[in-house]
Amino acid sequence: MADQYRPTMLSSCALAATAAEARFRVQYPNSKARVSRVFALDQHAAEAMYAITEAPWNGAHFLTVTTRGDVVPDETGIDDLPLSTPDGSPALLSEELQGANVVILLSSQHSNAGAAEVIAREAYHRNIMTVGLTLGQGASDERVNAVVNTLRPFTSVLVVASDNDYVPAMLSALRA
Amino acid sequence: MLSKEVNDLLTRTDPGTPMGDMFRQYWIPALLAKELPEDDCAPVRVKLLGERLIAFRDSKGRYGLIDEFCAHRGASLWFGRNEEGGLRCPYHGWKFDYTGQCIEVPSEPEESGFCESIKLRGYPLVKIGDILWTHMGDKEQRPEMPVWEFATVPAEQTFTSKRWQECNWLQAMEGGIDSSHVSFLHSGNLQTDPLFRGAGGNKYNLADKKPVFEVVESDGGLYIGARRMAEEDQYYWRITPWVMPSFTMVPPRGDHPVHGHFWIPIDDENCWAWSFDYHPTRALTKEEREALEAGYGVHCKYVPGTFRPLQNKDNDYMMDREAQKRGETYSGIWGIAVQDSSLQESMGPIADRTKENLVSTDNGIIMARHRLRKAAVALRDKGVQPPGRVKEHQLVRSVAKVLPQDQPFKEACKEDLTVRPGVKQTSV
Ligand code: FES
Ligand SMILES: [Fe+2]
C-alpha cells in the first residue's frame, strides 16, 4: 500500500472510524418516502392490523381482503378481489399497487391462499417485493405451518412472528 | 430504522442500563483459558460491559475476576503480586482473594479485623472448554452453567479465538444474522478458503445468488432460514440459529468444522468477537487446526502479542484494490473475519440506526432487535428473566439440508437443529 494513499485528515476514510470522526457524518434525509401496502388476509390478521393503523405512518395503506368464499386465482382479475380500507370503503388492487415498493401479506389462522396468490401475482408482474408475515399468536403450530406453506411460493421473505406486536415493529423498521 | 431512544436502549450496556442488566443475566465469555495458563501467573486486565476488572488465577488454581482498582487508594491491581492465595497491591500491600475479599491490610493490627470490612466487587470465573466464563449479575439469579456444544465437546474437537472489534456489539452481532451479505462480501472465499471449499452445498450458493429468507422465532431467539433452488423441486436450506443475547452459528458446509460466534460488549464502542469452530463427532485434523490458528475461516491474524487483528483501521485493513478488481476478494479485504469487521467498524463506533434504510430481506435483523428490546424492557419493568439462559435454548445447531419444497424447515429439521450427542451435524 503506497504511502501517498494514506488518509491525511481525521475524517477522510475508514481510518477515522472513531467517536471523534462520527461528528463529520452528514445529517440529511437520504431516502424518499416508501410506498408500502399491507393486506390482511383473514379476520385475525385484520384485527392485529386495525390495532395499529392509527399510528403516524409514512403513507402506508392498510387493506383487508373482504371475501368470505374461496378465491380462484385463475378466474380472479386484478380488480375482482374485494378489498376494504380501515374506514370501510372499497379499494382497487390496481390502484393500490400503483407505484408501491413493498407488499406485505398479513395472515394468521387462515391462509386465504387464493387471495394471497392474486395479490402476489399482480405484485410480481409489477416487480414489487412481497413479504409474508404470519402471526402465530393464538394459533396452533399446524395452522401456522399450513399458512406458511401456502404463502411460501408467493413471497420473497417470510416471517413467522409469535406476537402481534411484531407488525408495528416491522413496519416502522421498514419506514412504512 | 430505529428511533434514537431504541438505538440507545439496545446499544448501551454499562451498569444500570437495561441492556447492560440483560447481559448480566447470562454466563458470558470473559477470557480464553490460555490467558491464565498456570497458578500464580500474571493477572490480566479485562473490560466487560463497561466495567474494568482484573482476572487472576491464585496459588490454589482458583480463578477470580475482581474490580481492577485497589480499595485503598485506587491503584491498578494489574501491577499486583499474585502470590500465596491472593493478589497483593504493590503500593501499600493490601491483599485480595479470588472473590475480591480483602484478606490483609499490613498497616492495621491483624486482630482488629479491619480487612474483613473491605471487599472489592468480584464475579465468578469458571473454565468450560477453552473459555473462562463469568456471570456479572445477581448471585441469587445466577443461571445454570452454560452447555453450548462447542464448549463441551472434547478439547481435540474444538477451537476458539477472540478478536477485538472497535465498534458497538450490536452492529457486529447483526452481521452474524445478516445472511444476505454472504453472497456479496464473502463470495470470494467459498471456493478458496480451506475451511469452506469442496462442500456439496457450495454449488447451490454459487448457482442461486438470490436466496429467499424465512425468519421463524424459537424459544431462545430465532432461526433464520435461507433457501435456494436445488434439484427436482427441492430447496437447499441454510439455517442460522440466533440465541439471545448474542450467540450465532453459521450453517455447516460438508464435513468441515461448524463455526459460530459470541459478541460481547467491552464497552459501548468496543466488543469482543468470539469465534469458534468445532466438530460434534470427530477430532479436528492437523490441517484444520493449522488453518484455524493461521486465521482462516472466521478467525484472523493478529498484531503479535495482542488480540487486535493485524488488518485494522490504522492500516485501512490492508485494502488490496488489485484483489478487489480480480474478484479474488469482493471488497479487497483478506479473510472473512476482517471483511466483516472492516465494514462494521466503518459504520461508526455506535451505528446511527435512525438513518438506515432497511429492506424486507433485513427481517432477521429487525426481529432480533425486536426480541432484544422486548426482553430488556420485560426485565427492567417486570423482572422477567430473558430467553437464552437455560440449556434447552443453548443446545442448538445450525443446519444445511435439502428439503421438499412444501416442508416448513422448523418442523422438518427439528432434530437437526438440536444438539444430539454422538450424532454429527446435518450438512450438505
Ligand atoms: S450495501 Fe449494505 S451497508 Fe452498504
Ligand atoms: Fe460476514
Side-chain angles (χ1 to χ4, degrees):
Chain A
M1 188 176 47
D3 265 355
Q4 62 262 38
Y5 298 135
R6 308 276 305 163
T8 46
M9 283 171 62
L10 180 59
S11 61
S12 56
C13 90
L15 177 63
T18 63
E21 168 270 355
R23 75 195 144 93
F24 295 106
R25 289 180 191 227
V26 184
Q27 298 292 326
Y28 67 102
N30 61 6
S31 59
K32 288 195 194 147
R34 302 234 187 135
V35 182
S36 317
R37 299 294 178 252
V38 188
F39 296 88
L41 296 175
D42 63 56
Q43 195 50 41
H44 255 86
E47 279 160 25
M49 189 180 79
Y50 284 136
I52 55 132
T53 50
E54 293 291 299
W57 299 105
N58 299 310
H61 285 190
F62 298 93
L63 302 141
T64 319
V65 177
T66 50
T67 169
R68 299 269 166 271
D70 281 343
V71 174
V72 183
D74 288 343
E75 296 165 13
T76 310
I78 181 162
D79 287 332
D80 298 335
L81 194 68
L83 295 175
S84 138
T85 65
D87 67 11
S89 49
L92 289 176
L93 185 56
S94 60
E95 287 175 7
E96 292 299 333
L97 293 185
Q98 186 79 44
N101 311 118
V102 64
V103 158
I104 295 155
L105 298 177
L106 209 58
S107 67
S108 129
Q109 319 266 335
H110 304 281
S111 43
N112 209 342
E117 183 169 342
V118 173
I119 300 170
R121 176 191 72 203
E122 299 302 330
Y124 180 80
H125 290 320
R126 290 164 179 74
N127 295 313
I128 303 168
M129 188 84 173
T130 303
V131 185
L133 174 52
T134 300
L135 302 170
Q137 196 167 317
S140 68
D141 280 359
E142 292 80 62
R143 269 243 170 276
V144 170
N145 285 340
V147 173
V148 168
N149 271 339
T150 355
L151 290 181
R152 180 168 298 121
F154 308 131
T155 52
S156 14
V157 179
L158 200 50
V159 185
V160 186
S162 61
D163 260 318
N164 292 354
D165 59 6
Y166 188 63
V167 181
M170 181 179 96
L171 292 177
S172 61
L174 294 177
R175 298 180 181 274
Chain B
M1 115 32 203
L2 282 183
S3 67
K4 182 174 182 309
E5 293 67 44
V6 179
N7 201 33
D8 286 347
L9 179 91
L10 296 182
T11 53
R12 312 280 174 172
T13 58
D14 279 356
T17 58
M19 191 52 68
D21 286 346
M22 187 158 135
F23 265 101
R24 286 168 174 79
Q25 307 303 310
Y26 300 91
W27 284 97
I28 56 174
L31 299 89
L32 283 166
K34 68 177 184 201
E35 292 179 73
L36 293 176
E38 59 191 34
D39 297 351
D40 283 339
C41 61
V44 176
R45 279 177 287 226
V46 175
K47 191 176 186 192
L48 281 178
L49 308 179
E51 293 185 43
R52 287 186 59 172
L53 306 163
I54 199 97
F56 69 106
R57 176 168 162 179
D58 76 8
S59 324
K60 294 187 182 138
R62 296 174 299 190
Y63 292 106
L65 184 63
I66 65 175
D67 188 344
E68 183 188 333
F69 302 103
C70 179
H72 180 212
R73 289 182 52 220
S76 171
L77 291 170
W78 179 78
F79 296 97
R81 302 176 59 90
N82 187 10
E83 59 190 13
E84 291 159 359
L87 193 57
R88 188 187 294 279
C89 179
Y91 208 175
H92 310 93
W94 290 31
K95 187 172 179 183
F96 301 89
D97 75 5
Y98 71 108
T99 68
Q101 178 61 52
C102 182
I103 49 175
E104 217 186 306
V105 175
S107 61
E108 302 298 301
E110 214 182 307
E111 304 71 40
S112 74
F114 174 74
C115 69
E116 280 148 41
S117 65
I118 306 285
K119 181 165 188 321
L120 292 173
R121 175 166 289 171
Y123 302 119
L125 198 56
V126 178
K127 181 176 181 305
I128 299 178
D130 296 335
I131 296 178
L132 298 175
W133 303 76
T134 189
H135 171 253
M136 293 169 64
D138 231 358
K139 204 172 168 181
E140 282 68 52
Q141 304 284 345
R142 189 155 292 161
E144 281 177 44
M145 295 308 300
V147 295
W148 308 101
E149 188 177 33
F150 82 92
T152 52
V153 293
E156 62 274 14
Q157 292 172 219
T158 190
F159 174 87
T160 305
S161 72
K162 71 172 191 182
R163 63 177 163 79
W164 173 28
Q165 184 159 335
E166 298 174 65
C167 70
N168 183 260
W169 76 279
L170 185 63
Q171 70 215 56
M173 188 202 74
E174 286 173 349
I177 47 182
D178 170 13
S179 314
S180 73
H181 80 281
V182 181
S183 318
F184 296 93
L185 184 58
H186 306 313
S187 54
N189 303 69
L190 219 49
Q191 306 191 75
T192 56
D193 194 293
L195 294 159
F196 287 80
R197 65 183 171 219
N202 293 1
K203 64 172 181 280
Y204 305 120
N205 274 80
L206 296 165
D208 185 351
K209 292 258 179 212
K210 238 184 153 180
V212 172
F213 296 101
E214 282 187 30
V215 180
V216 182
E217 286 187 64
S218 65
D219 293 336
L222 286 181
Y223 295 119
I224 296 141
R227 65 172 158 84
R228 292 174 169 83
M229 295 305 296
E231 299 86 1
E232 289 159 22
D233 296 329
Q234 307 200 86
Y235 289 137
Y236 167 60
W237 283 96
R238 296 182 59 74
I239 308 166
T240 302
W242 168 68
V243 182
M244 290 169 78
S246 63
F247 173 89
T248 62
M249 267 178 83
V250 181
R253 292 197 185 269
D255 195 45
H256 288 304
V258 194
H259 35 264
H261 303 277
F262 259 110
W263 282 275
I264 303 297
I266 295 173
D267 56 29
D268 290 346
E269 298 181 357
N270 296 277
C271 67
W272 286 118
W274 287 85
S275 304
F276 59 81
D277 261 88
Y278 76 106
H279 196 290
T281 56
R282 66 161 171 85
L284 304 180
T285 64
K286 188 166 157 279
E287 293 71 34
E288 283 168 348
R289 203 169 280 280
E290 278 166 10
L292 294 164
E293 270 156 13
Y296 284 93
V298 295
H299 306 273
C300 73
K301 300 181 194 297
Y302 297 99
V303 173
T306 75
F307 291 106
R308 191 180 199 209
L310 185 61
Q311 306 155 262
N312 56 55
K313 67 184 183 189
D314 290 344
N315 54 28
D316 277 334
Y317 310 91
M318 301 184 173
M319 164 60 86
D320 181 346
R321 294 284 171 194
E322 289 307 315
Q324 187 185 55
K325 250 191 197 123
R326 288 194 301 271
E328 220 170 276
T329 55
Y330 189 76
S331 73
I333 304 294
W334 184 87
I336 291 169
V338 179
Q339 285 163 6
D340 284 322
S341 67
S342 56
L343 294 175
Q344 292 159 3
E345 290 179 4
S346 81
M347 295 159 84
I350 305 178
D352 177 359
R353 293 177 179 74
T354 65
K355 299 232 304 276
E356 64 186 7
N357 288 288
L358 297 184
V359 290
S360 42
T361 46
D362 293 317
N363 255 292
I365 290 173
I366 300 174
M367 180 67 95
R369 293 176 187 172
H370 176 64
R371 293 284 306 260
L372 286 170
R373 176 188 177 185
K374 266 175 64 165
V377 168
L379 175 67
R380 181 192 66 193
D381 296 349
K382 303 202 189 87
V384 179
Q385 289 297 334
R389 292 167 28 107
V390 295
K391 65 172 187 290
E392 294 72 29
H393 297 174
Q394 296 174 358
L395 293 174
V396 293
R397 279 187 184 169
S398 56
V399 169
K401 197 174 187 177
V402 175
L403 290 178
Q405 294 199 346
D406 60 355
Q407 296 209 7
F409 73 77
K410 190 178 169 188
E411 279 298 305
C413 300
K414 203 177 187 129
E415 294 205 320
D416 315 275
L417 288 165
T418 312
V419 170
R420 290 170 295 163
V423 179
K424 69 182 223 170
Q425 71 274 28
T426 307
S427 181
V428 185

